[in-house]
């Protein structure tokens, strides 16, 4: 059984930082691209960042300069370091995995971790 388990969410003040973690089991981790998505109240789920099996990173414009995605293949874990947090960053953050081949879709998802940023 494949499991993605997120942790690290919480309540922070605007301008603060959090590091989210997602640990995977049941997959050959170093063959998968790992990504973060988020969903705020009343909004659709949106892409945040992805780090592919080779370490190549793409991220959304709204996190550039504030967030960094990384992975540790020995720990089967992907991280999202978030700095200079804003109230509009408040959302449930989800970890997702896809096979590291061209055109693959995200087939595995975690349950999410809540991030709340107060003003």
């Amino acid at each position: 059984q494949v499991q993605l388990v997120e942790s690290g969410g919480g309540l922070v003040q605007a301008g603060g930082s959090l590091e989210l973690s997602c640990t995977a089991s049941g997959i050959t981790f170093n063959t998968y691209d790992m990504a973060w998505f988020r969903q705020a109240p009343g909004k659709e789920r949106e892409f945040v960042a992805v780090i592919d099996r080779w370490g190549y990173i793409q991220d959304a414009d709204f996190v550039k300069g504030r967030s960094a995605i990384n992975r540790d293949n020995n720990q089967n874990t992907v991280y999202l370091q978030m700095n200079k947090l804003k109230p509009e960053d408040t959302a449930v953050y989800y970890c997702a995995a896809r096979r590291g081949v061209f055109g693959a879709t995200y087939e595995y998802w975690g349950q999410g971790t809540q991030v709340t940023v107060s003003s």
Side-chain angles (χ1 to χ4, degrees), residues 5-118:
V5 180
E6 302 100 333
S7 63
L11 175 64
V12 297
Q13 292 183 323
S17 299
L18 284 174
E19 185 179 67
L20 308 183
S21 299
C22 170
T23 298
S25 60
I27 61 172
T28 304
F29 187 78
N30 64 2
T31 70
Y32 277 74
D33 302 339
M34 302 299 300
W36 290 95
F37 292 76
R38 71 183 188 185
Q39 188 166 21
K43 295 184 178 180
E44 298 296 320
R45 183 173 296 183
E46 63 181 343
F47 169 79
V48 177
V50 60
I51 180 166
D52 75 9
R53 62 181 296 188
W54 310 109
Y56 180 77
I57 294 168
Q58 294 178 295
D59 51 29
D61 287 344
F62 63 81
V63 301
K64 290 186 183 300
R66 299 193 298 127
S67 297
I69 189 171
N70 208 346
R71 67 190 294 159
D72 184 342
N73 288 343
N74 294 127
Q75 298 294 321
N76 291 353
T77 299
V78 61
Y79 304 92
L80 183 68
Q81 176 67 47
M82 301 190 294
N83 304 313
K84 301 177 181 178
L85 286 162
K86 306 172 182 179
E88 53 262 44
D89 293 320
T90 296
V92 178
Y93 284 72
Y94 297 91
C95 173
R98 68 182 180 189
R99 288 168 290 171
V101 297
F102 185 80
T105 58
Y106 291 101
E107 58 186 315
Y108 302 117
W109 295 81
Q111 294 298 306
T113 185
Q114 177 72 48
V115 171
T116 302
V117 184
S118 62

